[in-house]
Every structure is written in C-alpha cells, then in structure tokens.
Amino acid sequence: MKKVLGLVHQMKNERLLKSITHHRCMAAVPFGGKYRLVDFVLSNMVNAGINNIGLVTPAGSRSIMDHVGSGRGWGLDKKHGGLVFLPSANGRKTGRRSIVDLRDFYHNLDFLENRGEEELIISGSNVVCNIDYQKVFQRHLDTGADITVVCSGGKNEGQVFFDVDEGGRIRRLIVGENKKPDIRSVLSLDMYLLKKELLVDILRECADSNKWDLIRDVLAKRIEDLNIRAFFYDGYFALINSLVSYYRCQMELLSPQVLQELFFANGPICTKWKDGPPSKYYRTCRVSNSLIANGCQIAGVVENSVVFRKVKIEEGAIVRNSIIMPKVEVQVEAYLDGVILDKGVAVGKGVRLEAPKEQPVVVERGATYFQEGAFI
Amino acid sequence: MQKKECIAMLLAGGQGSRLRGLTRNIAKPAVPFGGQYRIIDFSLSNCANSGIDTVGVLTQYKPQLLNKYIGMGVNWDLHGKGKGVTVLPPYVGDRGGCWYQGTAHSVYQNIDYIDSFEPEHVLILSGDHIYKMNYEEMLVYHRSKDADLTISVIEVPWEEAGRFGIMSADGNMRITEFEEKPRKPKNNLASMGIYIFKTEVLKTYLKKDALDSTSNNDFGKNVIPRMLKEGRSIYAFPYQGYWRDVGTVESYWLASMEILDDDARLKMFDNDWCVYSESTSFPPAYFAAGSYVKNSMVAEGCRIFGEIENSLVFSGVEVEPGARVKDSIVMANVKICAGVVIDKAIIGEEVTVGEGAVVGGEYGKEYAKVRGSREHNITVIENNSDIAPYSHIGVLVMVKKDEEQLSGISGV
C-alpha cells in the first residue's frame, strides 16, 4: 500500500469526555489499559503497509505530540515520509461544529500536493477497531468508487448514518444524535477512501464556499453526482463519543472474544514504547475479570476493571467496575466502584468512591482524596 | 570524533552450557529473565543509566537473536550520533581471521574500535549477570586511585568462592593476589567480571598477551596475573548491592524466585534506575473470572484462566482453565492447556504444553534422587517444544516441534 497516504482527522470537542478531554484531544485519550485512541488508527494504517501518515494536531495538544513523538512506536520514524504532524487550522469556534473539518486539510494543502501518493485514507481517531485496510482498499479499487466509506450494521451509537442500496451505493445520509434513524441504516465508522486529486478539488470548492464539513457540506450534497459506496466492516469496533461509550467500550474489552478479535486476530496494536517490569501480584491480591498493564503492584482486590501502567493497589483496597489510569495509587481499605480515575489520582486509606451503575464518574487528573467518607 | 572519557566493551560471546536447554539456540546473554527482560538488558541498562553511551558488544556463540535484539541500542536509548551500541563479531582481515580465543583476545581483536573513540578508560563487562550498578561511581573511584586497573568485587559465601576469581587486597584495597577459580580459596572477595582499565595499559597488556603462545587469552587467568606480577596498580572496588551470576539452571531459578520476594533486593519497581528492554505489542494481561494469582509477576499479553502461584510469567502466555503453575518460570508465548500442572520448572519460549500434562514436581524429584543431584529437580523445557497431552515430564527435554510421542518418558 505504498501508493496510499494516511490522514487522521481530529474531533475538536473538549467537553466530550468531561475532564478527560479538558487537557487532551480525543486522539490522546487513554484507552484499554495501555493505549491512546490514536494507536488504533495508526496501527491499522501501518499494518496495511501505509508508512506515510499525516496527523492533524490541534493547538495545545502536547499530550498527543508527546505520545506519538517521532512515530517510533509504530515504525514511522522514517528518513523519507513517516509520520508528519499537520497543525490544525485555528478555526473560530462560532457556529456549527464540523464532523470532519476539512479546514485542517486545506491549511496543509501544500503537504498534500507535495506528496507522491495518489490515494488517501482519511480516518477519525476515535474509532477502536482492528481493520484490514488492504481489503478495504482492494474493494475501493474493484468497485471504482469515487469515495468508499467504512460502515457497520453492528452497533447504532453514533452521529452519521447511511442508507445503502443493494449495489452498495450510499443513497441517503442522516446526521443524527446517537440514534439509528432506520432499521436498515448503517453507521459510519468515519473512514474514507478517495483519490488525492478528488480531495484537493473538494478542498478548493470548500474554500470558495467557506463551508468545511466533509459530511454535511460535501457528501450530503454530492450524493448523486459522486459514486459514494459503503464497505461493510463486520469485526469488533467501538466509537468513542461520550463518557458512557468510553466507559462501556472498555468494559467490553473484558470479554475474551473481544480481546482476541481486537488484539490477537489481525496485526498488532502498537503504542508508545514504555519501560517497566511485569506487574507484581502479592499474596493478598484477588484479581478477577480484569485487564492489568505492566508495572503495577497489586495487593488488593480488582474486579471487572481496566488498570493502566504503574498503578498501586494496596492490601485490603477494593476496585470494582472501574478504569484506573497510569500512576494511580489506591491505599489500604479504599473502595472504588464505577469510577474512572485519571492519571496520578491518589485515593487515601479507607476512602470510598462510588458511582451509580452505568453512570461512571470521572476523577480529574492528579486529584487526591484523603478524607474518609463517601463520594456521590 | 569526540574524545570519550570511557567506553564499554561487553563480553557476550559465552555459550553458558550449564543453563542446559535454555542456551541450545541462543547465547547466554540473550536468555530471557525476570518476566520481561533478557539477561543482557541489565548490563546495557546499567551503561545507559551510568552515562556510558558507547558500548561494543562482542558476540560469537549463536549470535543471531542477540545481534537482532541489540540492534542499534534503541531499546536502551543508547543510539545517537557519535555514540551507540555496536555488535562486534569475529571477523576476517587482509591477514586472515579467527574466532575469539578468549575474553582478552576478543577485546584485542577490536582495539581499532576502541581507538576510534580515543577513550581514557575502557570498562569491560560481561553480559550474563543480574545487578544494578552505577559504573560512574566505579570510574570516579578508579580515577581517585589513579589505578591501572580497577576490579569490582563482592563478598561471596566461602563455599562458593571456588567458582569465582578470588582476590586478596591490602588495607588500601590494592590487590595483592588474584586467583581464578581457586581450589582452596584464601579469601572470599570475588571478581564480578567488571574491570576498568586505563586504555593505554589495557592495550599494552592485550598485546603482550597476544604474543604469548602459552596464554589462554583470558582476563582472569592470564592478563590480570601478568599485570600483578609486573607490579601494576590494581585496585578492588567493593560493591555491596545485589549481584547474581545466573550461569546455572539452579542459580537462574533462584535469582528468578528472589525477584518475587516482597522485600526483594533487586528493586524492579525503582523508577530512578529502570531496566530497559524491548517493547512488546501486547494488550494488558487479562485475568478471567475464576482465575487465581498469588505472589507472581505476570507480563502483558497473558491470558490467565487457571492458577498461578510463586511464578514469573513472560508476555503472551495463555493459561487455560484448570491449569496450575507453581514455583516456575514460563517464558514468552507459551500455551498451557487445560488441566496441566507445572511445578518447579522453566518453560522455554513458544512451548505448547498439551492438556492434562504434568511437568516437574514429583517427577522432577524422582529424577533428582536417581541422579543424586540437587540441580536436576528443576525441569527445563526447551524453546519451541510440544509437550503431548497427559505426558509426565521431569527432566531436561528436547522435543522438536511436531514430534508426536512423549508420554513414554514419564518420570524418567
């Protein structure tokens, strides 16, 4: 797939995951015990042999730049090509928010024009899946589509849906709010294949009309004149677009089938290289139905939870139905249920943090709770 | 090129035959250790953490995996312009070439490499010890004594002293006597195989040694005794930290089990002196409901449905329901099928242990009785073996993949 250039666009909604996205863009949101959301799209591209990738980077995104760095974790630290940060256009925040903001690509038009690749894959960074892009690309070539959009009939939580005719052509586009408009509609996975030439034309038209949303301003309006087709992906995926989906999708990883499909069945999902010993499980620990990354010291009880690197859970502490980000410390006899603890949170001796079922509560980065007592 | 104060030469050519099947296809420094690492990671991480940024690694015995693993030293952040790790295998020049004849000869063969950095001092290391040590402190000591050679030493139990290079020193720590593996040790100060030489002195004595046709070309046996005889100033640098030679199956197993102690002397969770290694692309470890884990270290990529106790489990290991692993070391990508019992064993990489098989435990002990040896009650399964379902194994086993019958040797 040397002829294909990968482009990763960014959702710019810093309120989507409450305090988790206050200081991170979506791409840099921690996920699944050791990853960031961007790892999935980068790994999928690299696994398909795409070695040149442009990553849109919003202003103030130290976390994503620090995470991706030179691209070494994905083998993208190349002399020629590799990973390139595309600074986001500083659009005014007035008016409607674009679903796929083409201004960011127009802002980097010279990069696109100078690249030798003729074909493009554009993907969002909030889709968790392990997809074989070579298959998608082959279908895209075989059908002769102008634009191929990856879709799934599986879940129905998302923003953009399509009605597809029997020949696989997209006939109607529905922008909804997290609900499936029609039983036959399929959900967009926010991945688009098209020729670079076509994107450049589209960008020029956008500049003329000053309308920049790939979904509402381009696809919706040109559904008749462009041959826009759906590729049906039937593997596991998760679209992270709310705190509830963020929490629930990580709980889904606790199914051995999902784990197998997402991490073992196809190519590897890579991330930034980190060092640290394997996790230590003490005599007093009890671990059940949980994912635990390296570098943890577990002496307490962990149930139905996802635990990131370098977490310490002391003796007598109980962690249930929770997501524990790196370097969190849970002291003796603390009790956690249904919470998402951001990086470096410290929970003192005997403290209880509980959230209602299926309504996870986020504890902000670096917060400390040392007084005994209930929370929520 | 910028002149260096000190570069390191890491001796990694050893076979390590006392590690039995663990070194059948790889050099000893490449043997996995500690649930995540290879033995050489400890020396290379020490270099990185001590500010030694140039390391020549001398390889010879089955070096493929080791060479690939070391690469440019990226895993230890040792790569960069004008520094980095260089793998130095035996080579052929215009006057022919030969294998490395001994530790001293291997460094002698690479004097040109050393000269290219013009270092004032050369640190000689071996790639088969488990320890965390600041070589910079040793270098400061070496300079303060204005020594021709400084040898790092550690006190070992008297009964084990015969396994090491043993030395005697005066009150000033100047070495007065050095004996390699003495039959009747006069002291228990053992050489850790870590030397800092003044570069000029090292070159002089390597050349002398190369011209001596009766020499074994070994630092401990030949070079150091010669320097001592000729009155060179050799000092001992006493080291008090944790240090283990893991040259035998038993010492390997014991050092592994020591890591699991709650008050282990080797601090694996110490962020200030991290041990670096290759990063794997596995998801976090998964523990199913009904699994059981106690006093163990389990790396990423494992999927645990069974029971693990007092064990080190490397990445990508699957333990099926009803399987039990106890007092053992399970290397990367091993599959342990349902109902298997593994007790006091070392399972090599990529092994499949078939359903209901029993490895080690009672069978290992039976074998030890017959052989009258303590060491043999640790069962070693070589890399890439397939253990047939319901077989009972308590000895060193070499099984090529796809070989069928194994049950026959139960309890040998």
Side-chain angles (χ1 to χ4, degrees):
Chain A
M1 301 254 294
K2 278 195 167 156
K3 303 178 292 186
V4 183
L5 174 67
L7 292 173
V8 182
H9 78 83
Q10 296 273 345
M11 252 197 296
K12 282 173 244 169
N13 188 344
E14 57 285 348
R15 280 188 302 239
L16 210 54
L17 299 186
K18 302 199 175 154
S19 72
I20 297 171
T21 41
H22 281 173
H23 54 271
R24 307 179 174 98
C25 57
M26 275 305 274
V29 166
F31 186 89
K34 67 179 279 195
Y35 303 98
R36 307 267 185 158
L37 288 178
V38 75
D39 294 344
F40 293 89
V41 54
L42 291 183
S43 299
N44 286 333
M45 285 180 174
V46 168
N47 290 340
I50 299 173
N51 286 321
N52 294 315
I53 299 174
L55 174 66
V56 171
T57 341
S61 50
R62 180 170 55 89
S63 56
I64 187 69
M65 295 176 83
D66 175 46
H67 177 71
V68 175
S70 63
R72 189 204 271 179
W74 301 264
L76 288 168
D77 50 341
K78 307 274 186 205
K79 255 170 119 177
H80 303 286
L83 187 104
V84 178
F85 291 111
L86 304 178
S88 161
N90 290 322
R92 285 159 299 167
K93 281 186 183 168
T94 52
R96 192 188 61 186
R97 212 184 288 271
S98 292
I99 298 166
V100 180
D101 192 350
L102 292 174
R103 244 179 316 206
D104 294 335
F105 294 132
Y106 185 71
H107 192 63
N108 293 281
L109 193 60
D110 53 339
F111 166 78
L112 288 174
E113 286 180 323
N114 291 340
R115 296 290 330 171
E117 295 87 353
E118 290 172 5
E119 304 282 346
L120 297 176
I121 293 183
I122 302 176
S123 172
S125 49
N126 62 334
V127 195
V128 174
C129 68
N130 194 328
I131 184 172
D132 183 352
Y133 278 137
Q134 296 205 40
K135 261 192 210 159
V136 188
F137 185 63
Q138 196 53 50
R139 179 79 55 79
H140 174 66
L141 294 182
D142 292 348
T143 57
D146 292 318
I147 301 177
T148 297
V149 187
V150 181
C151 302
S152 174
K155 293 181 185 175
N156 50 16
E157 237 182 41
Q159 221 181 342
V160 181
F161 295 88
F162 302 115
D163 285 347
V164 182
D165 73 13
E166 283 169 5
R169 192 165 163 185
I170 292 174
R171 290 297 180 185
R172 195 162 77 97
L173 191 147
I174 311 108
V175 178
E177 282 303 321
N178 268 336
K179 54 182 183 282
K180 197 166 177 168
D182 191 312
I183 189 83
R184 286 160 303 171
S185 304
V186 292
L187 175 64
S188 163
L189 295 192
D190 200 16
M191 298 167 185
Y192 317 88
L193 281 74
L194 68 166
K195 281 213 166 11
K196 186 175 81 180
E197 215 186 327
L198 178 57
L199 180 69
V200 171
D201 286 348
I202 289 172
L203 293 177
R204 294 229 160 85
E205 286 162 26
C206 290
D208 289 341
S209 63
N210 198 24
K211 289 190 169 162
W212 294 101
D213 189 357
L214 175 68
I215 307 302
R216 296 187 185 96
D217 302 322
V218 181
L219 298 189
K221 288 186 182 149
R222 300 186 64 180
I223 212 149
E224 291 304 320
D225 99 79
L226 288 174
N227 182 6
I228 307 174
R229 309 187 77 90
F231 175 93
F232 291 97
Y233 170 71
D234 55 8
Y236 173 84
F237 75 93
L239 274 180
I240 310 302
N241 48 20
S242 66
L243 196 62
V244 169
S245 64
Y246 176 71
Y247 174 80
R248 198 167 51 213
C249 293
Q250 292 189 82
M251 291 297 135
E252 282 171 3
L253 299 182
L254 299 178
S255 140
Q257 290 78 21
V258 169
L259 203 63
Q260 170 71 20
E261 203 172 321
L262 193 55
F263 296 106
F264 292 96
N266 296 314
I269 303 299
C270 298
T271 184
K272 182 184 180 180
W273 291 2
K274 295 255 169 85
D275 287 290
S279 288
K280 165 85 192 275
Y281 299 88
Y282 288 81
R283 287 190 174 81
T284 52
C285 83
R286 218 173 65 220
V287 180
S288 166
N289 194 41
S290 293
L291 277 169
I292 299 182
N294 273 357
C296 296
Q297 292 165 274
I298 311 286
V301 176
V302 183
E303 281 172 14
N304 309 324
S305 295
V306 176
V307 181
F308 285 68
R309 287 170 188 274
K310 294 189 177 172
V311 168
K312 229 173 151 174
I313 297 175
E314 294 184 358
E315 194 175 337
I318 297 175
V319 175
R320 287 199 176 115
N321 310 312
S322 293
I323 293 164
I324 313 291
M325 289 197 211
K327 298 181 189 168
V328 166
E329 208 182 308
V330 182
Q331 293 184 354
V332 251
E333 322 250 293
Y335 180 89
L336 305 176
D337 192 349
V339 292
I340 301 173
L341 303 191
D342 206 330
K343 259 175 125 167
V345 167
V347 181
K349 184 183 168 195
V351 171
R352 289 176 76 90
L353 302 178
E354 264 179 280
K357 214 170 157 54
E358 291 292 309
Q359 284 174 43
V361 168
V362 183
V363 177
E364 227 168 293
R365 187 163 71 169
T368 49
Y369 290 91
F370 282 112
Q371 277 162 347
E372 292 194 27
F375 170 80
I376 294 189
Chain B
M1 191 167 299
Q2 202 194 337
K3 218 174 134 157
K4 302 261 175 191
E5 188 187 5
C6 184
I7 69 164
M9 298 294 272
L10 203 163
L11 309 170
Q15 178 180 353
S17 50
R18 287 172 304 157
L19 282 172
R20 293 193 256 155
L22 296 177
T23 49
R24 179 97 40 211
N25 293 306
I26 54 175
K28 181 160 131 187
V31 169
F33 185 85
Q36 169 99 345
Y37 310 96
R38 296 190 184 272
I39 293 173
I40 198 172
D41 284 332
F42 289 83
S43 309
L44 286 173
S45 300
N46 285 340
C47 285
N49 288 327
S50 304
I52 307 272
D53 64 10
T54 305
V55 186
V57 182
L58 302 140
T59 67
Q60 174 156 287
Y61 173 82
K62 300 211 167 151
Q64 294 89 342
L65 189 140
L66 189 57
N67 293 357
K68 178 169 171 265
Y69 184 68
I70 293 167
M72 297 188 301
V74 175
N75 288 331
W76 306 271
D77 267 350
L78 285 166
H79 62 298
K81 292 257 189 241
K83 55 184 180 178
V85 181
T86 310
V87 174
L88 302 167
Y91 60 92
V92 175
D94 36 348
R95 275 177 290 169
C98 59
W99 296 108
Y100 293 151
Q101 311 294 327
T103 51
H105 182 252
S106 67
V107 178
Y108 172 73
Q109 289 286 305
N110 290 287
I111 284 182
D112 287 350
Y113 172 80
I114 295 172
D115 279 343
S116 70
F117 296 98
E118 299 178 60
E120 288 167 47
H121 305 279
V122 177
L123 168 67
I124 310 273
L125 301 169
S126 52
D128 46 11
H129 297 141
I130 304 299
Y131 65 117
K132 289 179 164 194
M133 178 173 170
N134 191 342
Y135 302 137
E136 206 181 349
E137 285 171 8
M138 183 175 166
L139 183 61
V140 168
Y141 178 90
H142 171 73
R143 293 175 71 110
S144 73
K145 298 278 185 192
D146 193 29
D148 289 323
L149 164 63
T150 301
I151 303 175
S152 184
V153 299
I154 190 163
E155 277 185 42
V156 294
W158 279 92
E159 64 271 21
E160 282 181 38
R163 281 174 53 206
F164 298 94
I166 293 297
M167 58 204 82
S168 309
D170 65 17
N172 223 348
M173 289 318 276
R174 183 162 171 163
I175 294 171
T176 53
E177 241 187 306
F178 184 101
E179 275 186 294
E180 184 69 17
K181 295 182 184 147
R183 223 171 281 163
K184 285 185 187 159
K186 294 180 203 149
N187 208 323
N188 67 336
L189 269 190
S191 162
M192 295 161 66
I194 301 166
Y195 314 119
I196 299 182
F197 284 90
K198 276 185 186 156
T199 308
E200 287 317 309
V201 176
L202 173 68
K203 280 159 66 177
T204 306
Y205 281 88
L206 287 180
K207 280 172 192 160
K208 280 189 184 183
D209 180 67
L211 290 170
D212 178 359
S213 59
T214 63
S215 173
N216 291 315
N217 307 120
D218 186 88
F219 278 109
K221 285 191 197 118
N222 311 106
V223 176
I224 296 168
R226 185 193 300 269
M227 286 176 67
L228 211 53
K229 216 168 82 191
E230 296 185 10
R232 291 291 185 163
S233 65
I234 306 180
Y235 282 86
F237 174 71
Y239 177 74
Q240 257 97 38
Y242 180 90
W243 179 82
R244 286 291 180 274
D245 178 291
V246 287
T248 63
V249 166
E250 191 176 44
S251 62
Y252 175 92
W253 184 86
L254 279 172
S256 300
M257 291 301 132
E258 277 173 0
I259 292 182
L260 296 177
D261 291 346
D262 285 350
D263 50 357
R265 287 182 65 206
L266 186 69
K267 302 284 177 225
M268 299 306 290
F269 289 90
D270 173 8
N271 287 329
D272 297 332
W273 201 272
C274 191
V275 183
Y276 309 106
S277 65
E278 188 173 52
S279 297
T280 59
S281 307
F282 281 116
Y286 174 71
F287 294 87
S291 67
Y292 173 94
V293 58
K294 281 274 173 313
N295 194 43
S296 294
M297 285 177 92
V298 180
E300 291 181 343
C302 290
R303 287 179 278 182
I304 311 294
F305 295 82
E307 296 178 17
I308 296 178
E309 198 176 344
N310 301 328
S311 295
L312 274 159
V313 184
F314 285 69
S315 56
V317 171
E318 272 185 86
V319 179
E320 291 188 352
R324 274 174 25 223
V325 178
K326 195 172 157 260
D327 301 333
S328 294
I329 294 140
V330 182
M331 292 182 187
N333 302 319
V334 167
K335 183 170 180 171
I336 297 170
C337 297
V340 164
V341 176
I342 293 176
D343 185 0
K344 206 171 180 188
I346 302 172
I347 314 291
E349 293 177 309
E350 315 277 345
V351 167
T352 302
V353 184
E355 195 181 317
V358 177
V359 177
E362 291 307 309
Y363 293 92
K365 280 177 206 142
E366 285 298 311
Y367 185 70
K369 254 185 251 163
V370 178
R371 290 284 299 255
S373 151
R374 251 177 86 217
E375 187 172 303
H376 283 82
N377 62 12
I378 298 162
T379 304
V380 178
I381 307 289
E382 210 179 292
N383 288 353
N384 291 304
S385 312
D386 269 352
I387 306 299
Y390 303 102
S391 51
H392 290 176
I393 291 165
V395 285
L396 156 71
V397 190
M398 300 180 294
V399 203
K400 292 283 164 287
K401 253 216 158 28
D402 305 327
E403 226 166 85
E404 295 166 15
Q405 252 294 348
L406 252 173
S407 316
I409 62 166
S410 56
V412 181

